[in-house]
Structure formats: structure tokens, C-alpha cells
């Protein structure tokens, strides 16, 4: 279901576990896709839709996963898919992941070294920003 600021959904087996995906414009012109909650089989499609919108607009963007409490293989699959789509379009993107709830699954699967991972939003924005615009 859409909310005014993004997407929200829940896992029917755990109705209290929600994922909020909020796409925020950033003053540097780079959309910031913030995730809050669990990224699992039930909620990964919300994440997928938000990033697909950015890819469809040929946008550079940053995914902030510091609010993610749980990251399942479904969420990892979204990240792998985004990586492939962005590479095909030759677009920059970055992921903010400093919490173990996100970095541990990325490390175990080998994605930590394959994805553009940064510890902070400013570092991720710097990596994605157009060098001319700063």
C-alpha cells in the first residue's frame, strides 16, 4: 500500500513487523531511499518497487539501510537485481549499511564486497554525486 511519503507493508505472519520505504529528495539532487523495519519475503516487493522507480527514471540514488532490523534473502535478491540493472544502465548508486543486521547477511553471502556499501549517508552521497556538481 502506498503512503504519502513512500511505501508501507507488513508480513501477515508477523503483523507488527512493517517495512517503511521512504524516498526523499536530497539537496544534492540524489534521491535517498530510506528503509525502516524488516526486509523479508513479504516486504521485499515494497523495496523492489521503490528502487525500480529510481532505475526507470535513470536516477542515481542512495539506499539507506541503517533502519533495517532484519534482512532476508529476498532483500538480498533485490540488492543483487539493482546492482545488475544499474550496471547495465551505467548509473551510480550506493547502499548505507553500518548495522550488523545488514552487514552480516551481506558478508555471509559475499555481497559486502560486490555492492557499493558505505557507512554513512554523506559518504554514500559523495560516491554517487556528479563530480562537476559536487
Amino acid at each position: 500500500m502506498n503512503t504519502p511519503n513512500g511505501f508501507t507493508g507488513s508480513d501477515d505472519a508477523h503483523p507488527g513487523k512493517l517495512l517503511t520505504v521512504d524516498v526523499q529528495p536530497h539537496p544534492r539532487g540524489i534521491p535517498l531511499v530510506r528503509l525502516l523495519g524488516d526486509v523479508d519475503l513479504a516486504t521485499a516487493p515494497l523495496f523492489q518497487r521503490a528502487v525500480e522507480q529510481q532505475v526507470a527514471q535513470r536516477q542515481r540514488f542512495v539506499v539507506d539501510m541503517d533502519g533495517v532490523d532484519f534482512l532476508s534473502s529476498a532483500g538480498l535478491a533485490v540488492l543483487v537485481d539493482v546492482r545488475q540493472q544499474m550496471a547495465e544502465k551505467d548509473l551510480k548508486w550506493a547502499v548505507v549499511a553500518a548495522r550488523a543486521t545488514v552487514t552480516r547477511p551481506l558478508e555471509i553471502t559475499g555481497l559486502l564486497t560486490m555492492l557499493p556499501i558505505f557507512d554513512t549517508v554523506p559518504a554514500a552521497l559523495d560516491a554517487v554525486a556528479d563530480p562537476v556538481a559536487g
Side-chain angles (χ1 to χ4, degrees), residues 77-133:
V78 172
L79 291 170
V80 169
D81 186 50
V82 171
R83 175 182 179 260
Q84 181 178 346
Q85 289 182 51
M86 295 300 277
E88 288 172 0
K89 295 180 182 337
D90 196 28
L91 295 171
K92 291 183 180 180
W93 72 298
V95 178
V96 178
R99 295 179 63 192
T101 54
V102 176
T103 59
R104 185 70 178 136
L106 292 172
E107 181 180 29
I108 290 169
T109 58
L111 292 174
L112 195 61
T113 59
M114 295 175 59
L115 299 174
I117 306 289
F118 297 87
D119 290 335
T120 66
V121 169
L125 288 168
D126 285 346
V128 173
D130 182 352
V132 175

